[in-house]
Amino acid sequence: LAGEVEMNQGGGLRPREVAQGWFLPCCSKPLSNIEVER
């Protein structure tokens, strides 16, 4: 919902999902405070 992450591995996501803002928390590093929907 808010913030930025750097995702090093996107193996389970399609390019359009990444474009929609989806990310894999297990393969990501927060670059700012983040707010996610669960």
Side-chain angles (χ1 to χ4, degrees), residues 1-6 21-23 29-36:
L1 299 175
E4 291 185 62
V5 298
E6 176 182 8
W22 289 77
F23 69 97
K29 179 175 111 178
L31 301 176
S32 67
N33 289 332
I34 60 171
E35 181 180 345
V36 296

Side-chain angles (χ1 to χ4, degrees), residues 10-35:
L13 298 175
R14 296 182 176 120
R16 69 179 158 88
E17 293 169 323
V18 174
Q20 293 172 345
W22 289 77
F23 69 97
L24 300 173
C26 61
C27 304
S28 301
K29 179 175 111 178
L31 301 176
S32 67
N33 289 332
I34 60 171
E35 181 180 345

